[in-house]
Amino acid sequence: PRWIYCYRSNPKGDFFMSEYKRGFSLGFLLLKIGLGIFFIISGILILQGSASEPCIIAIRSIVKARIADTLCVVMGIVELAVGVMLLLSVFVCFGKTLNALFMPIIMIVWIMAIALIDVFGSAGLLNGFGGNFMNYASRVSSHLIILGSIILLK
């Protein structure tokens, strides 16, 4: 393990240099980069209103009109922000405070996305898997891999 130094602030707002031990892990680094890129691309596609984005399809099948558009924009912004934060954290030390703020938020948002897409969506569990169990199982497994990555990076 090596020492990592980063600036942190205390409750009074004073900044100080902090150090903590952390070993380098190539797997952890690649996971962070891959997840960051995934969330950036997903956030951009949601904000563009891509008709093929599963999250947009699921939200619009459950909620109608302007509320669906608002939920899609919020989801897109959160995913984009978390993706940028994950990629920046490869080069910049944010400390545990920012990580403790963003990762639970994205975990909750991702669990909601899993529920919307894989349970309530048009090709979800409650709608007969969209007629194709293999596609459904593939989609659910990829969503659970991403959720596991979020939990690991938390």
Side-chain angles (χ1 to χ4, degrees), residues 41-149:
I41 299 300
S42 181
I44 289 170
L45 288 174
I46 290 173
L47 288 174
Q48 287 178 341
S50 175
S52 63
E53 185 66 26
C55 186
I56 291 176
I57 295 168
I59 289 173
R60 289 188 176 152
S61 70
I62 295 170
V63 182
K64 302 298 179 206
R66 289 184 171 211
I67 297 173
D69 293 336
T70 305
L71 287 174
C72 288
V73 168
V74 168
M75 188 96 153
I77 290 172
V78 169
E79 286 191 11
L80 185 61
V82 168
V84 168
M85 193 245 357
L86 282 171
L87 282 182
L88 284 177
S89 71
V90 171
F91 305 105
V92 178
C93 179
F94 287 122
K96 293 188 177 186
T97 308
L98 194 58
N99 213 21
L101 174 71
F102 269 112
M103 294 314 279
I105 291 172
I106 194 60
M107 190 179 344
I108 291 167
V109 168
W110 196 252
I111 289 170
M112 288 174 27
I114 289 173
L116 284 172
I117 297 167
D118 299 329
V119 177
F120 300 111
S122 59
L125 179 67
L126 299 180
N127 292 319
F129 313 116
N132 190 339
F133 178 75
M134 297 300 275
N135 285 340
Y136 173 78
S138 174
R139 188 177 62 244
V140 169
S141 65
S142 66
H143 289 165
L144 292 177
I145 289 170
I146 293 167
L147 180 61
S149 301

